[in-house]
């Protein structure tokens, strides 16, 4: 019987840890090698006994904040490296975070990104992890979207600048750093300028590069009206992709799960704005908090937490606080979490467990509670979506338990129709 010999390969001394552990050849592509991308494995170039270059110089955080404390006056222990090796340093130290500074030609890809730009984004990644988003949303973003964002940033300037702008916006909302504000405004402008060039050549080869920087600026908008303009914009881009049968890396955005696209497609500019009665909205929120806490008692704390109700409760409390803000612009920014949930709630990859259906229903109950703050032209469609989600939860329950508050929330939806 012939002896089976193991296939050999050339040794890869600079390969990723995962490939070395598996004893397979690594193509050393940064920040993720193709083996790890293909198999969906974590890809890290962190060596077990690595240390920063001894010749590197320490630099202070451009925002004057520490990534550990977030307090002014401290410095970030970031190390400066030559531009040609910065990609490898970022890949070694944060392979699963905002790895946007890489490509086959890293120097040219970074030529318009300053050290302050990169520092702001690096600091913002920890701030993003503190957002009150359910585990299902965070896992969906990490597994199904972030790797695609990373690949696109290497090829398209519009995506790269949009990602930097979003990171800087997140940083500014936490720290109020004028440096972060400047980075956000500058890169948002660069992203929109580069996006226009891609739109002029909209096709199969760049359709994903059009969607991504169309979505990201909506998260950095300065008003509800500006936000709606961005929502309308990426909704039209998605419709163009569907009509032309383009293949996209974001099939979820083409489905009916992206509720905001329904709002854009069916917007009614003749809808009258609702009265923004703060006391009424805060009462609605207080009632919703009561129902969320009741849900804890009904399904049990482990299921309640696993589904994401703890994060939803935090979101509801933050929305309640925002209702007390008299400055409309500041209130709009304080409601960033609400808009983020509105985008990702139905995009998250979860099972059809009753707890998940209840979480969705209670979130849309929050949307109903503060419906007057949303653009009036979206109101009719948004109310219909809320009623549909709450009705689905009612049908999913074995019995109509009033303690969940679904009947109450459905009545709130009908009051707007």
């Amino acid at each position: 019987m012939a002896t089976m010999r193991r296939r050999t390969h050339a040794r890869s001394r600079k390969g990723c840890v995962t490939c070395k552990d598996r004893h397979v050849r690594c193509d050393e592509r940064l920040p993720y090698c193709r083996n790890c991308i293909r198999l969906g494995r974590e890809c890290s170039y962190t060596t077990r006994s690595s240390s920063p270059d001894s010749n590197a110089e320490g630099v202070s955080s451009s925002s004057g904040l520490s990534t550990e404390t977030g307090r002014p006056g401290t410095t970030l222990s970031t190390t400066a490296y030559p531009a040609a090796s910065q990609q490898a340093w970022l890949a070694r130290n944060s392979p699963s975070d905002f790895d946007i500074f890489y490509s086959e030609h890293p120097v040219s890809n970074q030529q318009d990104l300053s050290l302050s730009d990169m520092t702001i984004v690096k600091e913002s990644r920890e701030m993003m992890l503190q957002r009150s988003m359910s585990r299902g949303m965070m896992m969906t973003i990490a597994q199904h979207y972030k790797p695609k964002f990373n690949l696109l940033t290497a090829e398209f300037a519009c995506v790269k600048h949009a990602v930097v702008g979003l990171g800087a916006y997140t940083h500014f909302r936490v720290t109020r750093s004028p440096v972060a504000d400047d980075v956000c405004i500058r890169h948002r402008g660069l992203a929109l300028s580069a996006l226009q060039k891609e739109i002029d050549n909209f096709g199969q080869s760049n359709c994903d590069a059009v969607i991504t920087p169309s979505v990201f600026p909506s998260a950095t908008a300065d008003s509800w009206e500006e936000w709606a303009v961005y929502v309308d914009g990426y909704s039209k881009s998605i419709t163009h992709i569907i009509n032309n049968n383009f293949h996209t890396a974001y099939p979820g955005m083409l489905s009916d799960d992206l509720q905001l696209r329904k709002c854009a497609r069916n917007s009614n500019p003749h809808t009258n704005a609702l009265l923004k009665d703060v006391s009424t909205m805060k009462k609605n929120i207080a009632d919703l908090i009561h129902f969320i806490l009741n849900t804890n008692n009904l399904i049990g704390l482990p299921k309640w937490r696993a589904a994401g109700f703890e994060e939803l409760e935090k979101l509801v409390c933050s929305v309640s606080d925002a209702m007390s803000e008299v400055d409309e612009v500041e209130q709009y920014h304080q409601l960033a979490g609400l808009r983020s949930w509105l985008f990702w709630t139905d995009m998250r990859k979860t099972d059809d467990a009753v707890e998940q259906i209840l979480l969705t229903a209670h979130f849309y109950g929050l949307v109903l509670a503060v419906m007057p703050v949303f653009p009036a032209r979206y109101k009719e469609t948004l109310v219909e979506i809320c009623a549909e989600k709450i009705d689905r939860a009612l049908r999913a329950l074995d019995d109509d338990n009033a303690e969940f508050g679904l009947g109450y929330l459905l009545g709130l939806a009908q009051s707007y129709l």
Side-chain angles (χ1 to χ4, degrees):
M1 181 176 177
T3 302
M4 296 294 292
R5 297 187 63 186
R6 182 181 178 188
R7 186 174 60 182
T8 60
H9 62 269
R11 295 188 65 184
S12 174
R13 297 183 182 277
K14 298 180 180 179
C16 73
V17 173
T18 303
C19 285
K20 288 182 178 180
D21 287 345
R22 295 177 60 230
H23 303 290
V24 298
R25 184 176 183 178
C26 181
D27 62 9
E28 302 176 15
R29 190 173 186 269
L30 299 175
Y32 309 115
C33 75
R34 288 183 174 86
N35 287 337
C36 292
I37 291 176
R38 178 172 56 84
L39 297 174
R41 296 174 180 268
E42 181 178 352
C43 187
S44 171
Y45 285 84
T46 305
T47 58
R48 292 176 175 78
S49 60
S50 62
S51 60
D53 296 345
S54 58
N55 296 329
E57 298 176 359
V59 250
S60 298
S61 162
S62 62
S63 61
L65 296 168
S66 167
T67 52
E68 295 182 358
T69 66
R71 300 188 181 95
T74 56
T75 59
L76 172 72
S77 57
T78 306
T79 309
Y81 289 88
S85 63
Q86 235 156 17
Q87 312 293 44
W89 183 86
L90 283 168
R92 286 200 307 271
N93 287 273
S94 56
S96 61
D97 293 307
F98 262 101
D99 306 315
I100 64 171
F101 312 111
Y102 74 95
S103 71
E104 298 296 336
H105 306 287
V107 177
S108 62
N109 192 48
Q110 297 178 53
Q111 61 185 1
D112 51 358
L113 296 178
S114 66
L115 183 59
S116 63
D117 294 341
M118 292 187 287
T119 303
I120 288 291
V121 174
K122 183 175 176 61
E123 292 179 352
S124 73
R125 73 175 186 216
E126 296 298 330
M127 300 169 190
M128 287 186 172
L129 292 176
Q130 302 305 314
R131 293 175 297 180
S132 296
M133 298 184 74
S134 73
R135 184 182 306 170
M137 294 181 200
M138 296 294 281
M139 292 300 293
T140 296
I141 295 171
Q143 294 178 356
H144 299 278
Y145 288 89
K146 186 184 288 186
K148 298 166 186 176
F149 296 157
N150 288 340
L151 292 173
L152 289 168
T153 55
E155 186 176 355
F156 297 96
C158 56
V159 181
K160 175 179 63 177
H161 292 302
V163 172
V164 176
L166 177 59
Y169 174 80
T170 302
H171 193 294
F172 175 72
R173 291 305 307 165
V174 173
T175 67
R176 300 306 176 120
S177 162
V179 177
D181 190 30
D182 175 70
V183 171
C184 174
I185 295 172
R186 178 160 44 86
H187 282 279
R188 183 171 60 184
L190 290 169
L192 294 175
S193 177
L195 173 60
Q196 186 57 58
K197 296 178 182 178
E198 298 299 337
I199 291 175
D200 292 341
N201 298 284
F202 203 159
Q204 175 61 72
S205 63
N206 71 345
C207 61
D208 290 331
V210 171
I211 293 181
T212 309
S214 299
V215 171
F216 278 36
S218 67
T220 66
D222 291 319
S223 67
W224 283 108
E225 187 57 36
E226 184 181 344
W227 172 78
V229 169
Y230 286 126
V231 172
D232 292 346
Y234 66 68
S235 298
K236 291 177 181 177
S237 297
I238 292 171
T239 299
H240 184 75
I241 290 173
I242 294 173
N243 292 341
N244 287 275
N245 294 316
F246 292 151
H247 174 74
T248 173
Y250 307 128
M253 292 190 186
L254 274 59
S255 70
D256 290 337
D257 291 337
L258 184 54
Q259 303 299 330
L260 285 172
R261 183 165 168 260
K262 294 181 185 177
C263 294
R265 283 178 6 216
N266 302 314
S267 70
N268 183 356
H270 304 295
T271 303
N272 294 325
L274 296 169
L275 177 65
K276 296 179 181 178
D277 187 322
V278 174
S279 60
T280 299
M281 289 191 286
K282 295 201 75 166
K283 179 185 179 302
N284 293 339
I285 293 172
D287 291 338
L288 179 62
I289 292 176
H290 172 72
F291 297 134
I292 289 174
L293 295 178
N294 279 351
T295 302
N296 178 13
N297 297 327
L298 292 167
I299 68 176
L301 183 60
K303 288 185 177 180
W304 188 81
R305 281 181 169 167
F309 277 99
E310 190 168 25
E311 288 75 25
L312 178 59
E313 182 191 7
K314 293 177 183 177
L315 174 69
V316 174
C317 291
S318 71
V319 171
S320 179
D321 292 340
M323 291 301 101
S324 302
E325 176 58 57
V326 295
D327 184 277
E328 288 192 2
V329 174
E330 180 58 29
Q331 182 190 80
Y332 167 82
H333 287 298
Q334 289 182 17
L335 293 173
L338 176 65
R339 292 188 296 277
S340 184
W341 271 65
L342 187 57
F343 185 93
W344 289 109
T345 291
D346 289 289
M347 299 278 283
R348 73 190 194 278
K349 307 292 183 183
T350 61
D351 54 28
D352 290 329
V354 172
E355 307 89 67
Q356 293 293 340
I357 297 174
L358 281 169
L359 179 75
T360 299
H362 282 107
F363 165 70
Y364 281 104
L366 174 60
V367 174
L368 288 170
V370 295
M371 183 61 68
V373 305
F374 287 94
R377 66 177 185 268
Y378 286 176
K379 186 199 76 173
E380 294 174 2
T381 303
L382 200 51
V383 170
E384 290 175 1
I385 292 170
C386 293
E388 175 190 333
K389 301 299 180 181
I390 296 167
D391 184 63
R392 184 192 176 200
L394 274 169
R395 289 184 278 107
L397 293 174
D398 293 333
D399 56 348
D400 183 10
N401 194 320
E403 294 300 307
F404 287 117
L406 299 178
Y408 170 88
L409 295 176
L410 197 56
L412 183 58
Q414 292 168 348
S415 71
Y416 290 121
L417 296 176

